[in-house]
């Protein structure tokens, strides 16, 4: 049984800072098996903890005496769910999802968890974080089985959910279906799914997106990040291994492998995506960002009076920079914590003010100061250009920009929404050298000086082996390959082939 609500907004628009496309936090997944406990409320708080991973839509599926109930809608977790709704969602198992679309349109039909019913009447709900690179192959498989029709605009998650449900039969459990399906699924995926009785979780063989396992006093939890375990009072047990499929119910925790582990975790989780209080593969995210800031200060010193972050994601690196450089740290920008998304169509005049909805300078702090401004990344550069202009108008004497990641030169096909190659500011100049690229970007955004942390320094800060991280958005090396039938991927192929030919 599926309960759905949707307020029919005419259009969904970001107040996007002159058209800026920031790195989007893709999605977050959560799952809990805890008989006798309020699993819907645990899921609510778990999703609340990972709200940063997706602010477009939220949903949950709860399995209990009334069967498998799914409730989902556009908006933040706190907007979608209220006390009375959570009270009505009673059961022993639940999964939840926060969404920012990277595959599939920004519409209610693509909000997760996805719900399906097998030909034998078995309900299945699935939540997915990531992107599949063989979507067309899976879609063709679903069409051949009559699960979707030609011309259907189903997302990769919807196709995967349909195939999973279709594999359940009299002699085949959902676990059997998953064990057969997952070896054929390519790309990045961290999954939670349920039939209303058992909690299942799986992670792609490369472990691109994080997924962790926690223990409650009377139950189990899986989540995208350890911060979600903390908020529901679960003890961290371990990460779900890449290529691992687990099942949790009254029989306990069962695990099996569907593929060999080939670690290629997303380095951008450490730089920007994950919450600073989360831990990935034993390395605290906040500590990583502090170390990146320290290395930035060593490799790109600046003559400044004050180090200020672009809040919130730039704050840990700015603290690290200040500590290493000896330049005082200060809060020169105030962030409006209540700005997430808006459904109001801004005029061009209002769009020019977009960044001021999010950030406003403290004139008394920055006036007359030589500022070292630390940010997590530059994508198109529009945000930084507007920010630097605003700081100068507020009286900054100089603005030296330091970036806690290398230049973003390539789009991501594994679950992060970046711009196309032509839209990335790192690709606007003709000089491919780091020095030439940096100077082009510096001039474009209007900074006095500009410095990026190198790929090597960034990777070293994570304390992970370099060969076990995906750095594709920085170096164009795509360990999981590129999707077929994707115009953006085709453009990347052309650029990579041209670069190989030139060599």
């Amino acid at each position: 049984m599926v309960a759905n609500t949707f307020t029919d907004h005419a259009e969904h628009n970001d107040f996007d800072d002159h058209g800026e496309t920031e790195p989007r936090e893709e999605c977050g997944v959560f799952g809990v098996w805890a008989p006798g406990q309020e699993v819907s409320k645990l899921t609510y708080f778990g999703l609340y903890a990972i709200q940063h991973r997706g602010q477009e839509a939220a949903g949950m599926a709860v399995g209990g005496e009334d069967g498998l109930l799914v409730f989902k809608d556009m908006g933040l977790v706190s907007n979608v769910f209220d006390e009375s709704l959570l009270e009505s969602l009673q059961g022993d198992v639940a999964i939840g999802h926060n969404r920012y679309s990277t595959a599939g349109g920004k519409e209610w039909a693509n909000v997760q968890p996805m719900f399906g019913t097998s030909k034998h009447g078995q309900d299945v709900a699935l939540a997915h974080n990531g992107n599949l690179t063989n979507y067309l192959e899976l879609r063709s498989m679903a069409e051949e089985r009559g699960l979707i029709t030609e011309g259907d605009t189903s997302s990769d998650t919807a196709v995967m959910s349909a195939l999973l449900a279709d594999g359940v039969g009299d002699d085949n459990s959902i676990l059997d279906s998953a064990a057969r399906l997952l070896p054929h699924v390519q790309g990045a995926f961290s999954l939670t799914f349920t039939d209303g009785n058992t909690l299942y979780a799986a992670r792609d063989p490369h472990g691109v997106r994080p997924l962790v396992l926690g223990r409650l006093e009377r139950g189990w939890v899986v989540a995208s990040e350890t911060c979600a375990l903390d908020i529901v009072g679960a003890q961290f047990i371990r990460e779900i291994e890449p290529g691992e499929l687990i099942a949790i119910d009254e029989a306990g925790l069962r695990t099996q492998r569907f593929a060999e582990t080939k670690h290629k975790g997303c380095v951008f989780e450490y730089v920007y995506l994950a919450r600073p209080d989360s831990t990935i593969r034993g390395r605290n995210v906040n500590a990583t960002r502090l170390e990146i800031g320290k290395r930035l200060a060593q490799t790109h010193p600046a003559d400044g009076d004050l180090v200020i972050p672009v809040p919130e994601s730039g704050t840990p690196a700015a603290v690290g920079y200040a500590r290493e450089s000896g330049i005082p740290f200060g809060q020169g920008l105030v962030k409006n914590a209540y700005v997430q998304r808006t459904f109001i169509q801004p005029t061009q005049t209002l769009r020019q003010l977009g960044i001021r909805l999010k950030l406003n300078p403290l004139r008394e702090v920055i006036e007359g100061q030589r500022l070292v401004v630390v940010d997590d990344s530059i994508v198109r550069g529009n945000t930084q250009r507007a920010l630097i202009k605003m700081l100068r108008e507020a009286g900054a004497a100089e603005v030296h920009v330091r970036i806690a990641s290398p230049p973003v030169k390539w789009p991501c096909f594994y679950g992060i929404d970046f711009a196309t190659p032509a839209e990335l500011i790192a690709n606007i100049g003709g000089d491919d050298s780091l020095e030439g690229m940096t100077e082009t970007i510096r001039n474009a955004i209007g900074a006095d000086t500009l410095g990026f942390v190198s790929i090597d320094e960034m990777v070293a800060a994570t304390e992970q082996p370099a060969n076990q991280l995906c750095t594709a958005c920085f170096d164009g090396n795509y360990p999981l390959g590129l999707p077929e039938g994707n115009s953006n991927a085709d453009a990347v192929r052309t650029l990579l082939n041209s670069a190989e030919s030139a060599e």
Side-chain angles (χ1 to χ4, degrees), residues 68 114-117 122-126 161 164-165 168 174 194-195:
L68 187 57
M114 291 293 176
F115 177 87
T117 301
Q122 176 63 65
D123 291 342
V124 177
L126 178 143
S161 179
L164 179 64
V168 180
I174 188 174
T194 183
D195 56 6

Side-chain angles (χ1 to χ4, degrees), residues 438-489:
T438 301
E439 179 58 22
T440 299
I441 298 172
R442 182 205 66 76
N443 186 62
I445 65 175
D448 289 288
T449 66
L450 174 64
F452 294 89
V453 73
S454 69
I455 293 178
D456 289 344
E457 295 285 352
M458 174 185 64
V459 168
T462 70
E463 297 185 350
Q464 305 301 317
N467 63 358
Q468 294 185 10
L469 289 171
C470 175
T471 55
C473 56
F474 304 118
D475 59 19
N477 295 319
Y478 291 94
L480 282 66
L482 294 169
E484 296 294 334
N486 181 301
S487 59
N488 204 7

Side-chain angles (χ1 to χ4, degrees), residues 18-308:
H18 307 254
E20 176 75 18
T21 300
E22 298 173 346
R24 300 294 185 176
E25 301 89 327
E26 83 283 326
C27 300
V29 298
F30 184 86
V32 56
W33 182 85
Q37 299 190 51
E38 296 179 291
V39 294
S40 64
K41 291 185 178 179
L42 289 172
T43 302
Y44 173 88
F45 287 117
L47 291 178
Y48 203 91
I50 54 175
Q51 181 73 86
H52 60 285
R53 297 188 70 87
Q55 295 124 45
E56 184 175 286
M60 71 173 69
V62 180
E65 293 181 358
D66 295 328
L68 187 57
L69 300 174
V70 179
F71 192 95
K72 55 187 182 179
D73 202 356
M74 307 295 291
L76 302 175
V77 176
S78 58
N79 299 136
V80 173
F81 300 100
D82 59 27
E83 186 81 21
S84 61
L85 175 59
L86 294 173
E87 289 286 353
S88 70
L89 296 172
Q90 296 294 319
D92 296 336
V93 60
I95 63 170
H97 187 268
N98 288 332
R99 184 171 195 259
Y100 183 84
S101 58
T102 56
K106 299 178 181 180
E107 55 192 42
W108 182 86
N110 290 320
V111 179
Q112 301 181 40
M114 291 293 176
F115 177 87
T117 301
S118 75
K119 296 171 183 176
H120 294 76
Q122 176 63 65
D123 291 342
V124 177
L126 178 143
H128 168 214
N129 171 208
N131 262 81
L132 306 185
T133 56
N134 68 330
Y135 165 72
L136 292 182
E137 176 188 339
L138 296 173
R139 179 187 175 85
S140 177
M141 189 186 307
E143 288 178 355
E144 289 174 3
R145 297 184 188 180
L147 305 177
I148 61 173
T149 58
E150 187 175 351
D152 189 293
T153 57
S154 298
S155 67
D156 57 357
T157 306
V159 169
M160 182 166 46
S161 179
L163 290 169
L164 179 64
D166 186 63
V168 180
D170 290 336
D171 299 322
N172 298 313
S173 67
I174 188 174
L175 187 63
D176 296 328
S177 178
R180 285 197 306 272
L181 173 63
L182 292 178
H184 300 286
V185 179
Q186 298 171 17
F189 56 90
S190 287
L191 310 175
T192 57
F193 53 104
T194 183
D195 56 6
N197 299 302
T198 304
L199 172 64
Y200 301 93
R203 195 174 177 201
D204 75 78
H206 294 85
V208 177
R209 299 287 151 224
L211 191 64
V212 295
L213 175 68
R215 190 77 164 96
L216 294 167
E217 184 177 345
R218 292 176 293 161
W220 296 85
V221 174
V222 293
S224 289
E225 295 186 34
T226 59
C227 63
L229 304 184
D230 297 336
I231 200 171
V232 300
Q235 177 188 2
F236 171 76
I237 300 299
R238 62 177 178 85
E239 294 199 356
I240 307 297
E241 284 296 310
E244 182 182 17
L245 168 64
I246 69 167
I248 301 170
D249 53 25
E250 67 276 356
L253 185 148
R254 305 179 303 285
T255 179
Q256 63 186 77
R257 302 203 65 82
F258 63 88
E260 178 186 352
T261 295
K262 303 173 184 177
H263 282 291
K264 283 293 180 182
C266 173
V267 72
F268 217 68
E269 292 281 355
Y270 291 97
V271 172
Y272 175 83
L273 299 178
R275 258 177 54 161
D277 52 336
S278 287
T279 297
I280 303 174
R281 294 198 71 193
R283 177 61 165 164
N284 177 258
V285 172
N286 187 69
T288 299
R289 294 174 186 172
L290 285 169
E291 180 64 20
I292 288 175
K294 173 183 174 182
R295 291 170 181 265
L296 257 178
Q298 294 169 348
T299 57
H300 296 285
D303 291 327
D305 304 310
L306 189 69
V307 176
I308 68 169

